[in-house]
Amino acid sequence: QLQASGGGLVQAGGSLRLSCAASGRTFSSGNMAWFRQAPGKEREFVSGIDPWNGSTYYADSVKGRFTISRDKDKKTLYLQMNSLKPEDTAVYYCALRNRRIITSAMNQAGQYEHWGQGTQVTVSS
């Protein structure tokens, strides 16, 4: 199970840190990622991390503002979000694969077997 937390209401320019705690499964064998879904829109890739080398990947819209990280001992995935914008408003989901996937497929939601329940992030202007 994946348990996401850390969402909330913040003003534009503010920061939030999302956490995703994994329980009952191997944490570091597959890709981990954050996706988000705004009302009326499809779920979109935000950021991902390679389980083997820790390489990180970001959507262009968040590059330079968001940072993904993981703590293997705590089995927790994080997303530090800085300089938040109203267009970042969405429900954020953490996702986990059982196995590593090629980088080009990392941004495809359908490739992930396990999902957290989502945490709402609202950025006011």
Side-chain angles (χ1 to χ4, degrees):
Q1 288 77 19
L2 301 178
Q3 182 71 36
S5 62
L9 173 63
V10 64
Q11 289 187 333
S15 299
L16 285 173
R17 188 175 84 153
L18 306 183
S19 299
C20 177
S23 61
R25 65 183 63 255
T26 302
F27 182 68
S28 59
S29 60
N31 293 75
M32 295 157 281
W34 289 96
F35 287 77
R36 67 186 182 187
Q37 188 166 18
K41 295 187 177 181
E42 293 186 354
R43 192 168 298 191
E44 66 173 359
F45 174 82
V46 175
S47 181
I49 189 166
D50 187 291
W52 288 6
N53 56 29
S55 295
T56 57
Y57 303 87
Y58 298 93
D60 288 342
S61 59
V62 307
K63 201 170 293 183
R65 299 188 297 121
F66 291 11
T67 303
I68 190 172
S69 62
R70 60 179 175 175
D71 185 324
K72 292 183 180 180
D73 293 336
K74 295 183 179 179
K75 291 188 176 182
T76 302
L77 181 69
Y78 301 100
L79 185 68
Q80 178 66 44
M81 305 186 295
N82 299 328
S83 302
L84 283 162
K85 304 175 181 180
E87 51 263 44
D88 294 319
T89 295
V91 177
Y92 283 71
Y93 298 90
C94 56
L96 178 66
R97 273 185 56 88
N98 291 331
R99 296 183 179 181
R100 185 174 183 254
I101 195 172
I102 58 174
T103 301
S104 60
M106 182 184 294
N107 63 350
Q108 298 171 14
Q111 298 289 345
Y112 293 82
E113 297 97 342
H114 310 288
W115 291 84
Q117 83 285 7
T119 184
Q120 176 71 46
V121 172
T122 303
V123 184
S124 62
S125 57

